[in-house]
Amino acid sequence: MATRRALHFVFKVGNRFQTVHFFRDVLGMKVLRHEEFEEGCKAACNGPYDGKWSKTMVGFGPEDDHFVAELTYNYGIGDYKLGNDFMGITLASSHAVSNARKLEWPLSEVEEEVFEIEAPGGYKFYLHNRTPPQSDPVLKVTLAVSDLQKSLNYWSNLLGMKVYEQDEEKERALLGYADNQCKLELQGIKGSIDHAAAFGRIAFSCPQKELPDLEDLMKRENQKILTPLDGHEICFVGDEAFRELSKMDPEGNKFLDDAMAADKSDEWFSKRNKPKASG
């Protein structure tokens, strides 16, 4: 299944300015693409910001060969409640550790030369203080699962991921489509999975010709792609079309900066003594 690959994880963000500062200046990621969307009823209670949103793709390199983050910002929403579904992204970057220290961004050493850091909104990242691999500094995405064996069956037997590591005592497993790709770590927890309002989405690609067979397999097994076990939202897209869609935009950084400079939503809500909605 080396032709399949992990693409990105979607984060819902309430404070776009601080979030961009974190990903760009602390982690050291680049803005790959930025898009603004005008949707929703202009006469609704949130005025010109009802339904308006943006999408920013950030990463350490092109989406063709790097796992990246999608930052989804809704102009009328100020924060999102976190669940227990997303447990963190791990990356190798001594540069990110150095940036965090210089910018006095809180770091907590959880084991030798591994630091926990929080993005705005509470999303956790784990930084290995070492030189990043040549392929991609992003090592793994960790998601919580309620039943590790059922989840392994879904991700490995049905979706074709290779199991790289499995620790039954610690209820964790590491899976992936290729040695040089970002891995998916499944961590078993007690109780049910709560996605709350901040639930994200992890995206993968496969050759376009495989999509119908993948859909048929899920139907035969009475499974879903969009919301499988524990309700984690995932998607598969055709690789060929996505490579064309996801080409890096050299103007992306400027488009994002211009959009943030033009964003007066905080002032609009403040003048009306209205808080932004909570997701």
Side-chain angles (χ1 to χ4, degrees):
M1 296 294 181
T3 53
R4 295 183 182 181
R5 61 192 180 104
L7 300 176
H8 58 256
F9 192 87
V10 180
F11 293 97
K12 295 176 181 176
V13 303
N15 187 321
R16 181 170 59 176
F17 185 83
Q18 282 296 323
T19 300
V20 168
H21 172 52
F22 174 80
F23 280 90
R24 193 162 56 180
D25 302 326
V26 179
L27 296 186
M29 291 185 176
K30 303 172 184 176
V31 176
L32 306 174
R33 294 184 283 131
H34 178 76
E35 297 174 81
E36 292 282 326
F37 300 91
E38 301 281 349
E39 293 183 358
C41 175
K42 298 303 181 185
C45 60
N46 288 345
Y49 302 106
D50 193 76
K52 185 176 180 181
W53 66 287
S54 74
K55 178 174 73 176
T56 309
M57 309 302 294
V58 294
F60 290 106
E63 292 176 73
D64 271 359
D65 50 18
H66 289 76
F67 187 85
V68 307
E70 176 181 317
L71 311 178
T72 298
Y73 169 68
N74 289 277
Y75 281 75
I77 299 181
D79 59 81
Y80 293 89
K81 182 181 178 182
L82 291 176
N84 62 1
D85 52 346
F86 174 77
M87 301 188 73
I89 285 182
T90 301
L91 54 94
S93 175
S94 54
H95 185 59
V97 174
S98 176
N99 287 343
R101 287 169 172 162
K102 289 177 183 177
L103 295 169
E104 298 184 346
W105 202 283
L107 285 171
S108 175
E109 191 167 18
V110 292
E111 55 185 272
E112 187 174 1
E113 294 301 303
V114 179
F115 298 88
E116 181 182 285
I117 188 171
E118 279 193 11
Y123 301 110
K124 294 185 184 299
F125 286 74
Y126 296 90
L127 311 180
H128 287 241
N129 190 20
R130 57 181 171 87
T131 303
Q134 290 185 340
S135 53
D136 187 358
V138 182
L139 304 179
K140 63 183 179 181
V141 178
T142 304
L143 300 179
V145 297
S146 61
D147 189 316
L148 182 59
Q149 291 306 315
K150 286 184 179 180
S151 296
L152 276 171
N153 178 65
Y154 178 84
W155 290 98
S156 181
N157 295 341
L158 297 184
L159 293 185
M161 279 190 164
K162 174 183 176 182
V163 179
Y164 283 87
E165 299 174 12
Q166 185 175 353
D167 188 327
E168 294 184 3
E169 185 177 346
K170 294 182 178 179
E171 290 193 73
R172 63 172 291 275
L174 190 70
L175 305 94
Y177 282 122
D179 295 351
N180 63 346
Q181 287 186 19
C182 171
K183 305 299 187 298
L184 172 66
E185 182 177 53
L186 305 176
Q187 176 63 61
I189 65 170
K190 295 185 184 299
S192 60
I193 305 300
D194 176 16
H195 297 277
F199 66 92
R201 180 176 69 249
I202 188 166
F204 301 88
S205 73
C206 68
Q208 182 70 32
K209 63 182 181 182
E210 293 183 12
L211 286 175
D213 290 340
L214 186 59
E215 184 176 358
D216 289 343
L217 174 62
M218 291 298 115
K219 288 179 179 178
R220 290 198 307 270
E221 296 292 333
N222 196 29
Q223 293 282 0
K224 298 178 181 179
I225 282 287
L226 184 59
T227 53
L229 295 173
D230 292 318
H232 287 293
E233 188 172 309
I234 70 173
C235 70
F236 270 82
V237 297
D239 192 69
E240 300 87 345
F242 188 79
R243 286 184 187 275
E244 185 65 28
L245 171 71
S246 63
K247 287 183 177 178
M248 184 174 178
D249 183 356
E251 296 295 313
N253 207 56
K254 180 181 183 301
F255 289 158
L256 172 60
D257 285 338
D258 289 348
M260 290 194 297
D263 182 0
K264 306 301 180 185
S265 58
D266 286 343
E267 292 92 326
W268 190 91
F269 282 94
S270 179
K271 285 179 180 179
R272 289 158 179 79
N273 293 317
K274 291 177 59 177
K276 284 189 175 183
S278 293

